[in-house]
Amino acid sequence: MGQTFFLPCVDGNVEFPHPRHALIEPNGLLAYGGDLSSQRLLKAYQQGVFPWFNEDEPILWWSPHPRMVLFPEKFHCSRSLQRFIKKTDYDCYWNRDFATVIKKCAAPREQQPGTWISTDMQQAYQELFNQGHAFCVEIEYAGQLAGGIYGVKGDRALFGESMFSTHTNGSKIALFEVCKTMLAKQIKVLDCQVYSEHLATLGAELIERRKFLQLIDH
């Protein structure tokens, strides 16, 4: 049986309980409270934990089992996406405009009027980026922003947080470029957190939490 822990807002006390204590239902809920300081966020990602909550909720911390991940060598580039990439003149930019990327990711989407990427979340991840611990990718078609992705950098993994598209295949190409760079830099895994059918079509898969923690262990 899992247990949900309260995290006090005490300077210097940013430790998390071990993810094995996370609840089965709701899947992966480990703790609540605390803050979104850079120190606490970095400790969370190092332990395979991430924040996810609505604006009317306390800060909730999660470590689901199983875990959705994408191994860069397993990125599935469909024939239609291959054709699109070949015929499309696009530019890829790393770490150029984090604020714009996270705002685009936070924008309401069809059948999803709200967002979990609140102003406080945006500010917290912007600070991580300013400190060199977060990343973003932008894709442009003919000078127009088409898609992007942002996340957190770890020693052996990248932790994807969200992506967006404003033009056809914008987010898919962003993910394609992320995987290319990961292969070149020998970064083993991209954390996708929880299952989505869209990510599964791109090669992401579910693995045991234990295996995931081994992969990110530094």
Side-chain angles (χ1 to χ4, degrees), residues 70 92-98 100-102 104-105 109 129 134-139 145-152 158-165 170-179 182 190-192 199:
L70 176 58
C92 176
Y93 300 96
W94 279 79
N95 301 326
R96 184 179 66 167
D97 189 349
F98 188 88
T100 292
V101 172
I102 196 169
K104 290 288 187 182
C105 288
R109 309 180 188 194
F129 178 77
F135 72 93
C136 68
V137 171
E138 296 168 67
I139 300 298
L145 187 60
I149 185 172
Y150 82 93
V152 176
L158 294 182
F159 301 88
E161 277 296 316
S162 185
M163 55 187 183
F164 74 93
S165 281
S171 63
K172 290 182 181 180
I173 293 180
L175 194 57
F176 168 73
E177 289 290 337
V178 167
C179 288
M182 291 176 67
L190 174 68
D191 177 29
C192 302
L199 288 171

Side-chain angles (χ1 to χ4, degrees), residues 17 38 58-59 62 75 77 81 84 105 107 112 137 141 172 174 179 186-187 189 202 206-208:
S38 295
I59 301 174
W62 304 79
F75 177 81
C77 193
L81 182 58
F84 187 89
C105 288
Q112 185 184 322
V137 171
Y141 300 164
K172 290 182 181 180
C179 288
Q186 298 184 323
I187 299 172
V189 64
L202 295 170
L206 291 168
I207 64 172
E208 291 186 352

